[in-house]
Amino acid sequence: MVIVCDDYRKDELLKNNRNKLSSVKYMSKQEFIRKFFFDYDKRTIYELCRKYDYSYDAALMYLENINYIDNKKYNNEKLDKLVSIKNYLDSNNLLIYDKLFREYLKSNEVVFDSIDLTKADNIMINELKNITSVTIKEKEYNKYTPTIIEFKTMDEEVEYVAIKICELIDSGIDISNIKISGINNDYDNSIKRIFDMYNLKIGKSINLYSTNTVRMFIENFNSDINKTIELLKSNKCDRDTIDRLIDIVNSYNFVDDYNLVKDMIISELKSIIKEIHYDNEIEIIDIMNNNIKDEYVFYLNYNQEYIPKIHIDDYYITDDIRDLTRLEKIEILNKKERINIKRALESIKNLTITYKLKSPFASFNKSNVLDIESIKGSLPTKYNYSNISNKVNLTIMLDDLIKYGNINSNLSLYNKHYHIDYNTYDNKYIRINTKDLYEYLGNKLNLSYTSMNDYYKCSFKYYLKYILKININKEIITRYIGSIFHYVLERGLDSDIDINETITKYLNDNSIELSDKELFFLDKLKEELPFIIEIIRKQDDFIKLKKRLYEERIEIKYHNKIDISFVGIIDKIMYDNDIYALIDYKTGNDSIDMSLNYYGINMQLAIYLLLASHRFEGAKFAGFYLQHILNKVGKSEDISKLEAKYKLVGYSNTKYIGEFDKTYKDSSLIKSLKIKSDDLYYSTSKVLSDDEVNNLIILASNKVEECIDGVVNANFNINPKNIAGKNIGCEFCNYKDICFMKNKDVVYLDKKDNFLTTN
Ligand code: SF4
């Protein structure tokens, strides 16, 4: 016998049949349909995308819809297109038919148990009846009358449910018998905040695509995908996510070069939801796919805007042609939605339904699925289960009184019990527990020059940006412009490229979608690229070191209570034998003022030295420079002035510079580098002795370790640095609205020059 049913029903049947020996095969409706008609796999989707130039999502949509048509001429463009897609797939053996399954069914009865049957299902069942016997068992429904409670706000609704759950637990109800249903993403914040105050845990769903592991996977996507997976493992990324990624990439093992299916894999990742569960959590259930008996269910979000679900006529097979197919009309779909949710709600014995009239962002109405009067809800006044929540509520009541003159009936009661420092604010950072910090970080920390620079400018800024990951949204183009230019230069310096094509490839490979305004801005900026490439190629004539490495990623591993990875990417390394020179392209106006290095600030050049000395043992550094590549050049500017703008800016090692720059005596390559008649450098030349270069590497190493020490000890005080009268900490900082910096927080320091010289 084959029983077609949902998972919850299968569990029930298995439980009831535990002692009976019967050979029953359980299948979901979807599994049965795929075996009865046809199935498809990733190869089918891949070939469909290639043949018709479809996106992954479009290919899936067509594949789902060919289930609902017959092999005939419809004289309708959309339906005939589906027929031709089906014929193409059949003629290329891209659909998977299970002929043995139909043979198997001939000697096995099929039972559709508690399944909601559609028009397409009924057509299939009629066909099925020609080969075997079919039984349909209707789902059984109860008819209870639930209580419906109205709340003014979403927070009140959620808090009421939290209190009621606490009461149930107090009265001895096992937490596994308490369920929540109806909520959507809008409830995430409210539930997280309020349930935390009541010590209640609830599972959550996150999009796999938004995780750091997947981000790293996409950023390091390689045609040899094993290399990408190994990189994730060596970076100790989340093991579960890596396993999911391995399953996904394995399903594409019919290609040799994974770049061919990169878009498909990214699209697939966008649709995968990862569930996170906790011990003793309140389970979230879908009441349509559950058989609830004595469990206590709280159905929130009973608002007309969400229940019943409304289908609108925006499917590929639109309402005007659905009659020609196996699909139901939209009106029938909507009627069924209403009937099914009504039956599901009425079948639950211990059900409390709640809804809100407003959330922080919108107003709502009560749903009309059930014809039951609602009662006005309010929070219990005499006691509750959370002191924090009571204090928060007292603050809200005081706000209401002071701002609008409203006196809440609970105000005097709450005010008598709690003393709160209303309208006072202490901006002091209170050190977080380091154990919690390590757990939150997954016992690993990634650092870079940029994050270290932020730490030294103000540790609280680092905390907000890299620990709490509070992102003050910037336009996408501002985040990516540097990477786009680096990508073009890496490819354009050694060979001729089409700049437009190269940029488009970068945007596509990294799934970056720019607005029209941003594209216009990018068009303006990229006008400079051919000129930059020409100048940099010309500068090559002045350079003696002819070996090159581009975009070299270098990692130094540390361990200080947790694993730390310090990573940097050097844009261009020129070398020969043991002599090295380093260049970093900059699209911004980064300062190289070394006097701040003493405080760990502006150390990008020193950090590149440290990284390169770590990678290339025994390296001697002739120089280390920035090259500004976005100089907003005017078309009418004199060519020699333009070339001067693109000169390297940085420090040269007097001992080895002659082995790097052929023109170092009056450099055509390095800004301000020039020797006087007495063979000494002009005072404007930025030069260091070999000892000073080595001291700089030692300083960089110490500063990285000091920064690591600060972070792992959770030292995140508000301490913006004011150096020589200028507050460089808060300058350009986006977190002013969060930290409420006070004058007493500022750390005043003097500039330190010549600190690299050791006599
Ligand atoms: S505004 Fe200043 S004090 Fe506040 S976080 Fe930023 S740097 Fe720190």
Side-chain angles (χ1 to χ4, degrees), residues 526-649:
K526 75 185 178 199
E527 284 173 8
E528 213 169 313
L529 274 167
F531 185 70
I532 300 170
I533 290 173
E534 191 190 318
I535 295 227
I536 295 180
R537 281 183 184 163
K538 202 167 157 191
Q539 287 176 343
D540 239 23
D541 294 341
F542 310 130
I543 296 174
K544 282 190 186 169
L545 304 174
K546 288 300 174 198
K547 292 183 182 159
R548 299 279 188 273
L549 288 170
Y550 294 105
E551 296 260 324
E552 192 65 8
R553 182 183 187 278
I554 304 176
E555 179 182 17
I556 308 180
K557 288 183 188 290
Y558 296 86
H559 188 86
N560 180 347
K561 299 185 179 88
I562 54 174
D563 289 335
I564 297 114
S565 155
F566 191 94
V567 175
I569 296 173
I570 305 178
D571 291 333
K572 187 170 170 184
I573 300 175
M574 294 149 290
Y575 66 103
D576 217 338
N577 295 320
D578 286 344
I579 309 292
Y580 287 76
L582 315 173
I583 293 182
D584 194 47
Y585 299 127
K586 282 289 167 209
T587 45
N589 252 342
D590 297 56
S591 159
I592 57 156
D593 183 356
M594 215 180 252
S595 63
L596 304 184
N597 282 195
Y598 185 78
Y599 301 111
I601 297 168
N602 276 5
M603 290 201 92
Q604 68 267 53
L605 289 175
I607 291 295
Y608 295 138
L609 275 181
L610 172 69
L611 291 166
S613 66
H614 178 81
R615 167 67 60 84
F616 310 107
E617 209 180 318
K620 296 163 183 144
F621 295 101
F624 40 101
Y625 311 94
L626 300 183
Q627 184 159 33
H628 294 289
I629 51 173
L630 251 185
N631 290 305
K632 300 189 181 70
V633 294
K635 281 184 182 141
S636 56
E637 278 190 73
D638 176 72
I639 186 76
S640 60
K641 274 192 193 158
L642 287 177
E643 285 175 358
K645 280 189 172 179
Y646 289 93
K647 279 189 172 180
L648 306 182
V649 182

Side-chain angles (χ1 to χ4, degrees), residues 427 454 457-462 464 717-721 727-742 745-746:
N427 77 332
D454 280 333
K457 279 186 171 177
C458 170
S459 353
F460 193 65
K461 179 203 269 193
Y462 172 93
L464 296 174
N717 285 331
I718 302 177
N719 55 6
K721 307 301 179 309
N727 184 339
I728 57 160
C730 302
E731 190 185 32
F732 311 122
C733 180
N734 290 319
Y735 300 107
K736 292 188 179 86
D737 291 343
I738 300 177
C739 69
F740 287 87
M741 187 270 286
K742 296 175 181 167
D745 299 320
V746 179

Side-chain angles (χ1 to χ4, degrees), residues 224-240:
D224 177 357
I225 208 69
N226 289 327
K227 286 189 180 159
T228 314
I229 298 289
E230 284 311 313
L231 180 83
L232 300 184
K233 285 181 185 166
S234 66
N235 275 281
K236 298 204 167 90
C237 292
D238 177 61
R239 192 65 235 189
D240 276 359

